[in-house]
Amino acid sequence: MYIDGQWAKAKGTFEVLNPATGEKIADVPDGGRDDAATAIAAADRAFPAWSNLTAYQRSAYLYRAYQIMMERKEDLARTMTEEQGKPLRAARNEVQYGADFLLWYAEEAKRVYGETIPAPRADQRFIVLHQPVGVVAAVTPWNYPVSMITRKVAPALAAGCTIVLKPAEATPLCAIEIFKILAEAEIPAGVANLVTAADPKPIGEEFVSNPAVRKITFTGSTGVGKMLAQGAAEQMKRISLELGGHAPFLVFDDANPQYAAKGAALVKFLNTGQACISPNRIFVHKSIVEPFTEEFISRVTRLRGGNGMEDGISIGPLVNEAAVDKVERQVNDAVEKGAKIGCGGHRLIDDGLDKGHFFAPTVLTGVTPDMLIYREETFGPVAPIIAFDDDETAITMANDTHYGLAAYVYTQNISRAHRMFERLRFGIVGINDINPTGAAAPFGGMKESGLGREGGREGIAEYLETKLGGFSV
Ligand code: ADP
C-alpha cells in the first residue's frame, strides 16, 4: 500500500492469480478499515498545500507522471496481461489510453476558469469560482486496471483534490505500478494514497462514513454503485458512478452488412466482452440479417482463445470461475428458450486452458426478449443476434433496458444517423464507430448506468465545487 508517501504493509496479505493459468503471481497487502482511515487522514492533511499549489505546478507533476508511464509502457502492459489476462496488444493500448488521461488533465488543470455574471443590482458583482471538493475516495474495477485509475486520479489531482484509491482485488499489481509512477513523479506525500484489500466492504464503509471524504468516485457493478450512493447520501458526499451497461448494436438495412459485422466482431470481443460498453444485443434489420450473421460467425470462428502473452491470441480468460458460470448460464438459458448457437457455446479446456477461466467466443441467433441474455449484462464473449423489422421497433427494443451507457448504430443514411443519435437513451453513441471514447471526451451513462462523466471537460468538473461570490461595490 502507499500511504502518506510511504510504502506500507498491512496485517496480512492476499494472493493475486493469473486468470489464464491459475498460478499465483504475487502476494499483496490486505488492507483493512484502519488502513483506509490512516490514508484518508493523510489525504486530509495533504489537501491544503496541494490545493494551494498553482495549476501550473499540479500540471507539471501530472505531466511528469505521464512521461514516466510512457517510458514504462511495455512493463506495465506485461503486468496487466499477467494479472488481468487481456492480450498484450490490447494491454499496450490500454496503457496508452491510461497515460492519455494524465496528459489531458495536466493540460486541463490550467483551464479551470471561473466566470463573472451580470448582477441584478448596479452596485453588485457576481463572481463564480471553482474549487476542489476535498478528499476523494476512489474504487476501481479489474477489467481496465490502469485506465480506470488514471481516469479518476488525474482529474482529481488536477482539480486540487487529494485521493485514496482502493483498486479491485483481482488487479492490485497494476495499481501498485501506477502508484510507483506517481511516487517517482514526486507527487507530495499524502496527495495520492493506495489501499489494497481482499475484502472491499470495510474499506467502502470507511469511505462513505469518514467525514473527511467529500467525494466518492466508483466504477463497477450497478449493485455496489447503488450501495455506495446510499451510503454517501448520509453525509451528502459528492458521487460519480460508472456502472453496468447493456449496449445495443443496431445495423440498419442501408448499412453494408460485411462492414458492420467486422465492427461488431471487433468491439464485442474486446477484453473478452468484459467491458461496460461491450455490445450486449445486436439488432440487425431482417433484410440483411443473413449476410451479416454469415460474416460475423466467420470472423468470430477465427478468434483464438488463450494466454494473452502469446502471439495471435485475441480472446483472453474471463476474470474468474463465477464469470464463466454466468456466461454459461446465459447461453444455456437462451438455448433452452429456442436460440441457436452459431459458433462456440462452451468452455475452452483443451491445451491447458482448463487451468484458466476460458469460454469460447460465441454467437447466438434467434434471441428473444424472454431470455436472460436479453436483459442481463453478460460481461463475456457471447454475441446475441436479434432481427428487427422497422426503425421504431429497433429504437424501442434498444431503449428497453434500465441501463444507458453505450449504443452503436450502423447506417449510411445521415437523417437516420441523426435520429438515432438523438433518440437512443444512452450516454455514448457510436455511429459507424466502434470506439467512441478518448481522454478528451465525456464518458458516462444514463439511467442505472451511472451518474456523472469521466474524461473531457466534464471529468474535472466532477471534482470541483462551484462557489458564487456576491460583492456589493
Ligand atoms: P464486479 O462484480 O465486476 O467485480 P464490483 O462492483 O464487485 O464488480 O467491483 C468493482 C469494484 O468495487 C472493485 O474494486 C471491488 O472491490 C469494489 N467493491 C465490491 N464490493 C464493494 C463494497 N461493498 N464496498 C466498496 N467497494 C466494493
Side-chain angles (χ1 to χ4, degrees):
M1 302 187 293
Y2 187 68
I3 299 174
D4 206 7
Q6 302 291 325
W7 290 99
K9 290 197 169 73
K11 287 191 194 84
T13 60
F14 67 101
E15 294 183 347
V16 184
L17 305 177
N18 180 330
T21 62
E23 285 162 13
K24 177 175 133 175
I25 46 181
D27 287 304
V28 299
D30 185 7
R33 188 167 177 163
D34 49 338
D35 297 305
T38 307
I40 292 166
D44 198 31
R45 283 193 305 275
F47 177 70
W50 181 251
S51 56
N52 277 319
L53 291 183
T54 66
Y56 284 84
Q57 288 170 310
R58 288 196 298 270
S59 170
Y61 283 112
L62 288 172
Y63 186 66
R64 212 173 302 150
Y66 162 75
Q67 287 176 309
I68 301 171
M69 190 176 279
M70 292 307 290
E71 286 162 16
R72 297 278 163 79
K73 192 169 172 180
E74 189 61 24
D75 288 349
L76 205 46
R78 286 184 175 273
T79 300
M80 196 191 306
T81 296
E82 211 184 355
E83 182 182 47
Q84 194 269 339
K86 70 183 65 179
L88 196 50
R89 202 165 18 93
R92 290 187 189 115
N93 289 343
E94 194 199 327
V95 177
Q96 181 63 56
Y97 181 52
D100 287 349
F101 288 101
L102 292 169
L103 178 59
W104 166 264
Y105 285 109
E107 294 158 346
E108 201 62 5
K110 295 173 274 185
R111 299 189 187 101
V112 178
Y113 301 142
E115 208 178 358
T116 61
I117 297 175
R121 297 197 321 264
D123 68 345
Q124 190 180 36
R125 303 290 179 266
F126 279 162
I127 297 181
V128 174
L129 195 63
H130 296 294
Q131 293 181 310
V133 294
V135 174
V136 174
V139 178
T140 51
W142 46 266
N143 60 340
Y144 288 87
V146 166
S147 56
M148 296 302 99
I149 293 178
T150 53
R151 192 156 86 168
K152 297 182 188 308
V153 170
L157 265 48
C161 295
T162 55
I163 194 164
V164 179
L165 171 81
K166 192 213 74 66
E169 50 276 26
T171 55
L173 298 180
C174 281
I176 291 169
E177 291 307 311
I178 293 174
F179 275 73
K180 284 185 190 163
I181 292 172
L182 300 178
E184 275 180 51
E186 295 179 3
I187 288 175
V191 169
N193 306 273
L194 172 70
V195 177
T196 48
D199 180 6
K201 241 178 142 226
I203 315 287
E205 283 163 8
E206 185 63 25
F207 282 0
V208 294
S209 62
N210 190 318
V213 173
R214 288 316 314 154
K215 156 102 193 177
I216 291 180
T217 171
F218 171 77
T219 301
S221 59
T222 296
V224 175
K226 286 182 182 176
M227 221 175 55
L228 291 175
Q230 278 165 3
E234 190 62 35
Q235 295 171 12
M236 212 43 78
K237 295 181 201 278
R238 299 278 171 272
I239 186 146
S240 11
L241 303 166
E242 296 288 353
L243 308 176
H246 197 44
F249 189 106
L250 299 155
V251 185
F252 289 93
D253 53 2
D254 56 65
N256 175 328
Q258 281 79 24
Y259 181 66
K262 179 182 173 189
L266 283 170
V267 63
K268 170 67 227 182
F269 296 95
L270 265 185
N271 215 21
T272 316
Q274 302 172 112
C276 46
I277 61 169
S278 187
N280 227 55
R281 297 163 297 149
I282 301 177
F283 297 103
V284 186
H285 191 271
K286 67 174 197 281
S287 67
I288 55 164
V289 72
E290 269 182 36
F292 175 92
T293 305
E294 191 183 324
E295 174 70 17
F296 188 64
I297 290 175
S298 127
R299 284 181 172 272
V300 175
T301 312
R302 278 177 274 152
L303 298 174
R304 270 187 56 217
N307 189 327
M309 284 293 184
E310 292 166 19
D311 285 342
I313 295 297
S314 35
I315 298 287
L318 289 165
V319 62
N320 54 31
E321 268 318 285
V324 183
D325 289 344
K326 181 181 181 187
V327 167
E328 198 165 44
R329 187 168 51 82
Q330 287 192 359
V331 171
N332 291 344
D333 167 82
V335 171
E336 272 165 31
K337 292 175 180 158
K340 297 268 175 295
I341 293 180
C343 64
H346 52 83
R347 289 168 185 250
L348 291 176
I349 50 174
D350 294 342
D351 304 325
L353 295 191
D354 57 328
K355 297 199 178 63
H357 315 294
F358 290 92
F359 200 88
T362 299
V363 178
L364 294 174
T365 58
V367 169
T368 50
D370 58 323
M371 300 173 184
L372 286 177
I373 199 160
Y374 190 89
R375 301 269 158 218
E376 284 184 2
E377 186 177 31
T378 304
F379 240 61
V382 185
I385 299 180
I386 304 142
F388 71 86
D389 272 334
D390 59 80
D391 288 25
E392 282 308 313
T393 313
I395 294 172
T396 306
M397 286 169 96
N399 284 337
D400 179 23
T401 166
H402 59 270
Y403 290 113
L405 188 56
Y408 304 86
V409 175
Y410 272 67
T411 178
Q412 291 301 311
N413 178 321
I414 193 163
S415 309
R416 186 180 258 155
H418 278 280
R419 245 183 357 257
M420 291 303 148
F421 180 46
E422 286 167 17
R423 291 193 53 196
L424 289 167
R425 299 282 300 149
F426 296 83
I428 302 163
V429 183
I431 309 277
N432 302 314
D433 185 9
I434 52 168
N435 188 17
T437 58
F443 182 109
M446 299 181 181
K447 300 197 238 172
E448 293 190 22
S449 285
L451 284 177
R453 294 293 180 269
E454 291 192 313
R457 244 186 294 137
E458 291 83 349
I460 196 166
E462 299 285 337
Y463 298 94
L464 295 164
E465 290 283 10
T466 295
K467 184 183 278 181
L468 171 68
F471 297 77
S472 271
V473 295

